[in-house]
Amino acid sequence: MTSSDRTPVFFISYAHRPQRARPTRDAHLVRDFYDTLYGHVDELLGLQAGQEAGFMDAEMDGGQRWSDDLAYAIGHCQVLVPLISPRFAGSEWCAREWHAFTRRSHRTFPTATSSHGATPIIPVSWTPFPIEQLPGEIRAVQLFTPALPQPEMARLYQSEGLYGLLQLGERGLEVYEAVVWKLAQWIADAFWTHDVETDKDVDFRGLATEFGEDPT
């Protein structure tokens, strides 16, 4: 990347809650997560001014529009980070983002050695959800399973998800911060080891709106 390249390294895909009269706290939690992850990735990759560590569409409410910024980000980012939740699997806009990214071919750099065997897609547990209920194409991708200092920390993340960890007080916050740091390392690793082909013409009208559905 050059100093003027605003291509995001990672793209956060998550299912927004339906619009309600009363604001929900989860939107702020997702934003805080994104900001923290952005800072970690920025530091790990040593990005210069003008370079973007990540992208998250904070404006879409339940997935009602496809902006030029979103289309550019999903067509140019190098790592997709889906936040898995009960709503994710049924979200037509999450399905579009997934299919827009997965139709881009990718290769591993010939001299690269990955410490995680990571792929450019790193699904993260946001809220607890039975793996067997996920669509097959999501289950086929390795869920993010970080190596944490203590086995208990890993069990807490697996059972509670990132959202749940934030509800558990100081211990939950400690695990949350460790998980987000490890996630940033996985993203940096995927960035250095994989080259994902750019798609400059992402058109949401040609993307499948359900997991397991063939694009029209």
Side-chain angles (χ1 to χ4, degrees):
M1 291 188 298
T2 66
S3 59
S4 61
D5 189 349
R6 300 189 66 82
T7 298
V9 174
F10 68 88
F11 182 106
I12 295 293
S13 177
Y14 77 102
H16 298 239
R17 287 189 181 185
Q19 186 175 11
R20 294 186 173 94
R22 178 178 298 179
T24 56
R25 179 169 174 256
D26 75 305
H28 299 292
L29 296 181
V30 173
R31 183 72 206 192
D32 290 344
F33 158 75
Y34 167 76
D35 289 342
T36 301
L37 184 63
Y38 187 108
H40 289 337
V41 172
D42 186 22
E43 181 68 22
L44 285 167
L45 296 180
L47 301 181
Q48 303 301 311
Q51 296 178 331
E52 299 291 350
F55 177 89
M56 183 185 74
D57 191 348
E59 303 302 322
M60 292 180 72
D61 182 11
Q64 297 176 353
R65 65 185 179 85
W66 184 271
S67 69
D68 291 341
D69 287 345
L70 190 152
Y72 179 88
I74 199 63
H76 290 75
C77 65
Q78 290 295 298
V79 183
L80 178 67
V81 182
L83 302 188
I84 305 301
S85 68
R87 287 190 178 88
F88 185 90
S91 167
E92 68 175 64
W93 286 94
C94 290
R96 283 185 169 121
E97 291 165 357
W98 180 283
H99 293 131
F101 187 84
T102 55
R103 74 178 185 179
R104 297 166 55 194
S105 63
H106 69 272
R107 67 184 181 93
T108 302
F109 291 120
T111 59
T113 55
S114 172
S115 59
H116 307 297
T119 70
I121 304 178
I122 308 176
V124 174
S125 174
W126 182 250
T127 49
F129 191 68
I131 293 178
E132 62 273 13
Q133 293 186 23
L134 290 172
E137 61 190 297
I138 299 178
R139 293 200 310 271
V141 179
Q142 179 187 358
L143 287 174
F144 174 58
T145 52
L148 297 172
Q150 302 169 9
E152 179 198 355
M153 298 174 77
R155 287 194 295 268
L156 270 177
Y157 163 66
Q158 292 167 2
S159 65
E160 306 294 337
L162 288 176
Y163 179 88
L165 290 175
L166 291 172
Q167 319 307 316
L168 299 180
E170 291 186 7
R171 180 54 172 166
L173 181 59
E174 178 186 5
V175 178
Y176 170 88
E177 291 175 344
V179 170
V180 177
W181 170 243
K182 290 295 185 180
L183 175 59
Q185 292 180 314
W186 275 45
I187 291 171
D189 185 58
F191 176 79
W192 289 123
T193 57
H194 294 82
D195 179 30
V196 184
E197 181 182 52
T198 296
D199 184 352
K200 298 180 179 179
D201 301 308
V202 179
D203 184 348
F204 78 93
R205 292 169 296 184
L207 297 170
T209 59
E210 295 180 6
F211 290 99
E213 172 190 349
D214 292 328
T216 56

